[in-house]
Amino acid sequence: MRVFVAGSMQGSRLDHLIGEQDYRQIIAEAVQGCCPRVEIIDPNELHPNGVDYEDGLAKATLLEMAELAGRADLVVAYVPEASMGTAIEMWEGFRAGRPVVTISPMVANWVIRHLSDVVLPDLSAFQLWVAEGGLVRLL
């Protein structure tokens, strides 16, 4: 099984930096705890310096990550704030008929509500949901 970890990198930032990415490890560990042979697809791991890419490579990377999300068996999206890249990855997973699990407090947001199979408010709730068998039942 291939799990794409989508999530805010630059989010709503106005500068040329990325936010904390520790959520990626938390998500990966929770998923691997219930599905040990899972393959985690982590855009930040694949492109750790992506924020510094020149425009052509940055565009190609954006499109490549969207395509990978659509080909994964599951998309787990961490969206504590608006994230256009994450929304695209969620859309591609949804469009491909893949389950989308979203971790976000933004439950009124249409993208969150209508592209997600499951919405959990934070990482702790996600970890608990996985531990209690929610992920296994979804798949």
Side-chain angles (χ1 to χ4, degrees):
M1 178 174 70
R2 295 167 37 106
V3 175
F4 186 91
V5 179
S8 180
M9 294 179 91
Q10 287 183 293
S12 298
R13 297 180 72 106
L14 301 177
D15 57 26
H16 190 69
L17 302 173
I18 66 170
E20 274 299 316
Q21 299 296 297
D22 57 337
Y23 66 87
R24 294 180 180 280
Q25 186 66 30
I26 294 167
I27 291 169
E29 287 174 1
V31 171
Q32 290 166 331
C34 83
C35 308
R37 297 194 310 189
V38 69
E39 177 187 348
I40 301 294
I41 304 166
D42 178 347
N44 191 52
E45 192 174 287
L46 294 172
H47 298 279
N49 299 315
V51 73
D52 296 321
Y53 288 176
E54 56 83 19
D55 282 347
L57 182 56
K59 181 179 179 178
T61 301
L62 174 72
L63 298 175
E64 174 194 7
M65 293 304 100
E67 183 181 332
L68 283 175
R71 290 195 330 237
D73 299 301
L74 169 71
V75 175
V76 177
Y78 179 70
V79 196
E81 62 182 353
S83 173
M84 291 185 277
T86 305
I88 292 168
E89 293 160 351
M90 291 171 66
W91 168 250
E92 288 298 317
F94 172 84
R95 195 170 73 128
R98 307 298 192 237
V100 176
V101 175
T102 304
I103 304 162
S104 180
M106 300 186 306
V107 296
N109 179 283
W110 280 15
V111 171
I112 303 296
R113 282 180 29 208
H114 300 299
L115 299 185
S116 305
D117 294 277
V118 175
V119 179
L120 300 156
D122 55 38
L123 288 166
S124 295
F126 174 76
Q127 291 171 302
L128 181 61
W129 177 77
V130 171
E132 291 179 343
L135 182 58
V136 171
R137 284 189 301 276
L138 177 65
L139 299 174

